[in-house]
Amino acid sequence: MRRPSNPVNVTIDPDRLLGDLRRLRGFGACGIGVVRQSLSPIDVESRHWLRSRLEEAGLDTRIDGLGTVFGRSRNPGPALLIGSHTDTQPRGGWLDGAMGVIYGLEVARSLAECDETRHLAVDVASWIDEEGAFSTCLGSLAFCGELALTNAVRGLTNGEGKSLGDALREAGLEGVPVERCERGRYVGYAEAHIEQGPWLEHQGKRIGAVTAIVGSRNFTVAFEGQQNHAGTTPMALRRDAGHALVELAHRVYETFPEQAGERSVWTIGRIALDPGVQSIVPGRAEMHLQFRDEDEAILDRLEEHARALVAESNARGRAEARMTEVGKRSIPAAMDGRLREHIERAAEHHAPGGWISMPSAAIHDAQVLARHLPAAMMFVPSIGGVSHAFEEDTSEEDIVLGCRVFATAAANMLLGRLPPDHGPAP
Ligand code: HGY
Ligand code: MN
Ligand code: MN
């Protein structure tokens, strides 16, 4: 579907953009990948660097009481809020989140350098802990007033067992106010991100205008059997927690397809056997089950089915299984049709016919902001569809093209100018 292009075109500085992306990659570089989990010393260091770059771009900056980095335009609103995250998975790629934050920095600079857009207000945010070292989308949830820094939240721990409270104290952020969304300041929120999947590359497209973002639910299933001798305990007498876990995992993969939607996904991302040694029948076991879909009704159906499989496991009597939801579930969100149309028009302007509208199978801060502001997302291709892995990458040409499209779309979102033929959003 072709759309006429946008009335305003913005010039970015590709070398400056790539230079900042490469510099950010250096904070926690691990071979070709990046390890920069929320509030780790290297993450805090990178936040201070990012703050300095936002300062140099002429924005009023701060790092808030959770670690989110903000750059606020000195121009009067209404503003466009551009954000993403710079924290990574335990073994992450150099672009997941980071690209969208540096796009925001580059858009703020580029609009300020153009006579036709210098009066426009762009605020930039790097949300803390989108990747959930402590709690997924921690910074955007707090900004939107959906999460407060209570003692329970301070007590959340990361993979090393460090509490959020201790991490904030070590980062020098204890007692610093947590920023909240200023009512009436924003025309909307826009986030650019790598696709992290194969669809753009498979279809030979270079830009994705996101229609909706999936929801995600996370559970642990804990199994309580009886630890025993691996040699002397007859098979018929065992209460092998590991056996019960493997059986349930098999039933998930065997039966989920009949309950799932067309784009549902499910993952058993972690399995632990206790004590995990070869001559002991595991008395305890735990597995982590996550599933995602755009439709809450399908997520409900998958959850109900998973609970039925747990009941079925318990009926086998091998070990007692308990399914518990962990973390805050991510709720599916539709993106704003008018903002999305600005992305589609900008894509048509810079890459005629080289774009598609598509859903996001990854979780993003944009689905939190979408509950409070009109929100839009734009994707660039991931090479081989790989992400959440050191090998994650996108060609420099696609990174630069994506920023051109995003900057043009951002300017037009602020100008609120859709060409006269703007019909209702599809
Ligand atoms: O899991 C996700 O979808 C996101 O990349 N954290
Ligand atoms: Mn991620
Ligand atoms: Mn991300």
Side-chain angles (χ1 to χ4, degrees), residues 122-141:
V122 169
D123 291 359
V124 181
S126 170
W127 308 112
I128 191 75
D129 211 19
E130 185 277 344
E131 296 288 12
F134 296 97
S135 179
T136 303
C137 296
L138 183 65
S140 53
L141 285 167

Side-chain angles (χ1 to χ4, degrees), residues 233-282:
T233 312
M235 295 309 284
L237 300 181
R238 292 183 179 202
R239 298 195 63 241
D240 183 339
H243 186 172
L245 179 151
V246 168
E247 263 176 344
L248 177 59
H250 173 68
R251 290 287 289 151
V252 165
Y253 286 107
E254 193 181 43
T255 62
F256 259 48
E258 62 214 37
Q259 304 290 333
E262 191 194 333
R263 284 182 176 253
S264 301
V265 291
W266 49 95
T267 309
I268 296 176
R270 184 163 46 81
I271 287 178
L273 300 179
D274 178 72
V277 296
Q278 61 186 12
S279 291
I280 298 180
V281 175

Side-chain angles (χ1 to χ4, degrees), residues 346-383:
E348 184 60 24
H349 178 81
H350 291 287
W355 58 276
I356 52 170
S357 297
M358 61 186 287
S360 169
I363 300 299
H364 297 288
D365 292 299
Q367 70 198 97
V368 175
L369 274 295
R371 295 196 283 270
H372 304 270
L373 294 172
M377 276 205 88
M378 188 198 84
F379 282 161
V380 299
S382 292
I383 295 172

Side-chain angles (χ1 to χ4, degrees), residues 3 74 182 193 346 394 422:
R3 288 194 182 285
R74 294 179 183 134
E182 180 183 323
H193 205 284
T394 295
H422 170 263

